[in-house]
Amino acid sequence: MTELRRRWQLERWISVIRVAAVPWALFEVAVISQDYPAGHELAAWLTTAALVIGAAAFFYIDRRPFGEQAQRLICLASLTFNTLIISAYCFVFSFEPGTPIRQLLYFAVIEAALRYGLIGGVVMPLAQLPVLIGTELFRADRFAPLDFATDHITLPLGLGLLMGLIVGWLVNRLARETELAEQRAGEAEGFRDELGRRVDVLDAANRCARALGSSLDLDHAFAAFIRELRGLLGFDRTAIVLADDGTARVMAAAGAGADTVFPIGTRRAVAGSLLEEVLNGA
């Protein structure tokens, strides 16, 4: 499986999770959260509306055929959309200090690490730093007497980095193991094919050997051998030559010019001929 294909499959799965998050978001905004400050309820509903529209759009888009470049852009756009929606919820519900709304940012960290490995796992927490600082400044300014708390920034940032490093390392490790497994599977398939070819050659060689012993008549035996040899190698011209006492004699021949060029029974001296080089291992 290629890296892009893995990311695209992950994108399709995240689109399902995004759609499943819509009822939960509606329930939180409509039922759980109460006593909204001025403007926050409207912002919550607008953010949820954006979530509904984006979830439906990406669910539809992710199931359409696209080229590699388009898939890369869609994956990046999906991650950006999720991060912006989560960041918006962090600002909207900053008036509830007891609600762990900022923990939603960890979802974006995990998603980035799953998509892009260690790089995504490190870059996303750092990219969220302005959101952490902004929400804390917004909360301290709008909802006194709550003061600006540095640990509300450093703790989520540190946990996000640790989470991104762990998940990103696991993703990179899995990718390397998958690549190695695919490479070994390819090698095993090559070995299997090579073994199959060698078995075929061995079987053909056995058939040729049986053909040679199929008759006491040399002409018939050689003819049967050449028929089997043609099925194994395929040739335009072949000959069986006996070299004895410096003389080469054609015992059998088949193919183009078999009856006119060095026909059966032809004798020639081995010395100075191509056969001499063959007999010497050339």
Side-chain angles (χ1 to χ4, degrees):
M1 180 184 297
T2 64
E3 183 66 16
L4 181 60
R5 182 182 176 188
R6 181 190 67 81
R7 291 181 186 177
W8 190 243
Q9 289 180 346
L10 176 63
E11 167 60 26
R12 289 185 170 183
W13 173 237
I14 289 177
S15 70
V16 175
I17 297 176
R18 191 187 292 114
V19 170
V22 169
W24 171 69
L26 292 172
F27 180 75
E28 286 287 334
V29 173
V31 179
I32 300 300
S33 297
Q34 302 293 332
D35 300 326
Y36 285 98
H40 280 248
E41 185 173 8
L42 176 60
W45 281 112
L46 289 176
T47 303
T48 304
L51 173 62
V52 172
I53 295 173
F58 278 107
F59 186 86
Y60 174 80
I61 291 172
D62 292 342
R63 277 142 188 84
R64 306 275 77 76
F66 290 100
E68 292 185 0
Q69 187 62 30
Q71 288 182 7
R72 290 189 178 93
L73 293 176
I74 292 171
C75 289
L76 181 59
S78 175
L79 176 60
T80 303
F81 173 79
N82 292 341
T83 304
L84 291 176
I85 290 294
I86 292 172
S87 300
Y89 276 124
C90 288
F91 274 95
V92 170
F93 292 99
S94 59
F95 69 92
E96 295 181 336
T99 302
I101 188 66
R102 296 185 188 181
Q103 292 182 10
L104 287 176
L105 293 171
Y106 298 145
F107 177 83
V109 173
I110 294 174
E111 180 184 350
L114 289 174
R115 289 183 187 274
Y116 303 107
L118 271 175
I119 295 177
V122 172
V123 171
M124 179 56 73
L126 297 177
Q128 291 175 344
L129 183 58
V131 177
L132 294 172
I133 296 175
T135 53
E136 186 60 20
L137 288 172
F138 182 76
R139 182 191 62 79
D141 180 66
R142 293 283 301 273
F143 308 107
L146 300 175
D147 297 326
F148 184 92
T150 305
D151 61 330
H152 288 179
I153 299 172
T154 57
L155 182 60
L157 176 62
L159 289 177
L161 283 171
L162 290 176
M163 189 178 300
L165 287 171
I166 293 173
V167 177
W169 180 83
L170 290 174
V171 169
N172 286 0
R173 174 76 178 273
L174 179 61
R176 288 194 298 269
E177 293 294 336
T178 301
E179 182 180 358
L180 181 60
E182 291 177 349
Q183 180 181 353
R184 289 180 176 174
E187 292 176 354
E189 186 176 353
F191 290 148
R192 184 197 62 192
D193 294 341
E194 179 63 24
L195 180 60
R197 286 191 293 269
R198 293 189 179 187
V199 169
D200 291 340
V201 171
L202 180 61
D203 181 61
N206 288 334
R207 292 199 304 270
C208 291
R210 289 195 297 269
L212 280 176
S214 62
S215 174
L216 295 178
D217 187 310
L218 285 181
D219 291 337
H220 287 90
F222 285 145
F225 171 79
I226 290 175
R227 284 196 301 270
E228 293 292 341
L229 186 65
R230 186 186 296 276
L232 174 62
L233 299 177
F235 54 80
D236 293 324
R237 164 68 184 265
T238 189
I240 300 175
V241 180
L242 174 65
D244 185 33
D245 292 333
T247 300
R249 182 161 64 98
V250 178
M251 306 297 294
D259 297 329
T260 57
V261 181
F262 298 108
I264 298 174
T266 300
R267 294 175 179 268
R268 289 292 179 89
V270 173
S273 67
L274 179 62
L275 181 60
E276 184 180 28
E277 298 182 19
V278 174
L279 293 175
N280 290 331

